[in-house]
Amino acid sequence: NFGLKPNIGLQVRKLDRKGKKSDGPVLRSCQEQVIPRCFSTTEDFFREKKIQTKLEPWKIPAGMSPEEATKQLTELIESYPPGHDGVDAGGFRLLQTLPTYLYGQFASFIGLISDVEFAVMENGDVQVRSALRSMAPDAFGNVQTPPDSLLNAKRLNWFSERLRKMGWAAPEITEQTHPEYFAENMKAGLKTVGLEFMPEREEDGKPEYW
């Protein structure tokens, strides 16, 4: 797998350089990612360049327990079609399925890994994080990670569209909600991660990374 292992899960996290911490456990932010390849419901206080990464928490339907919501979300993830809209053609796997927390890895056609997390809280909020990993350093120690070709937006939008039909509040990621993310990807020409590495013929098959 390309990239570095993530710092995942719900934790009390540092929110600024002065040591301020979150009020309770939260997922990791997109801290210090100056390239548009991450979304998180935890605000990024470390950014050196203004790239929009913040998502509003999703919300489960009224009357549904966090455990029921997590089960519904698990079933939806298991139905996810790799390669839809030119992303995640390398497949995916769920690595942690806890009563109110899910963690999975999604792979592009060339094996770039995205870490995706969902945490359903007692108040009905759903913390979300979807982030393309940094690529491994080259022989000179340089890390050259491209923009994500909109794959994080496309992936989360696939889930949120279906969850809204189930009564969830899960806003779509659009050029209106995150203009800088879309602008930076367009400036980069949507290269490298997604579309151009899709197999052109059905008989080419799908790569297996796990």
Side-chain angles (χ1 to χ4, degrees), residues 20-197:
K20 179 183 176 181
K21 295 185 177 180
S22 59
D23 293 333
V26 295
L27 299 179
R28 188 182 181 187
S29 70
C30 298
Q31 61 190 49
E32 297 182 340
Q33 294 202 6
V34 298
I35 297 171
R37 52 184 171 83
C38 173
F39 289 105
S40 176
T41 48
T42 302
E43 187 170 353
D44 181 6
F45 290 88
F46 290 85
R47 283 181 311 200
E48 297 178 3
K49 182 178 179 182
K50 190 179 180 183
I51 295 292
Q52 290 171 304
T53 61
K54 179 72 165 62
L55 297 178
E56 292 303 314
W58 296 357
K59 294 185 181 295
I60 66 177
M64 180 178 286
S65 71
E67 292 78 11
E68 291 171 332
T70 305
K71 182 179 179 181
Q72 190 174 69
L73 185 53
T74 301
E75 293 172 351
L76 180 61
I77 293 172
E78 289 173 343
S79 72
Y80 181 73
H84 86 94
D85 206 6
V87 301
D88 297 329
F92 69 93
R93 59 178 180 174
L94 276 173
L95 294 180
Q96 291 188 33
T97 54
L98 303 179
T100 58
Y101 171 82
L102 301 173
Y103 165 59
Q105 294 177 348
F106 292 71
S108 75
F109 187 70
I110 60 171
L112 295 177
I113 303 300
S114 294
D115 298 290
V116 181
E117 300 174 87
F118 301 95
V120 185
M121 314 306 288
E122 282 297 326
N123 65 357
D125 284 355
V126 183
Q127 296 189 31
V128 180
R129 187 175 190 270
S130 180
L132 177 67
R133 292 186 189 180
S134 298
M135 295 180 70
D138 61 21
F140 301 99
N142 299 313
V143 177
Q144 300 291 336
T145 301
D148 70 2
S149 298
L150 305 182
L151 66 82
N152 283 295
K154 290 180 178 182
R155 178 189 305 121
L156 291 179
N157 283 343
W158 190 93
F159 293 128
S160 66
E161 177 185 0
R162 286 152 183 81
L163 289 171
R164 289 194 298 273
K165 294 177 181 178
M166 300 177 189
W168 293 49
E172 182 181 8
I173 298 168
T174 68
E175 290 187 63
Q176 287 68 45
T177 62
H178 294 80
E180 291 169 339
Y181 167 81
F182 281 85
E184 289 292 323
N185 265 291
M186 294 301 177
K187 187 187 302 182
L190 300 179
K191 296 177 181 178
T192 308
V193 178
L195 297 174
E196 65 183 11
F197 290 96

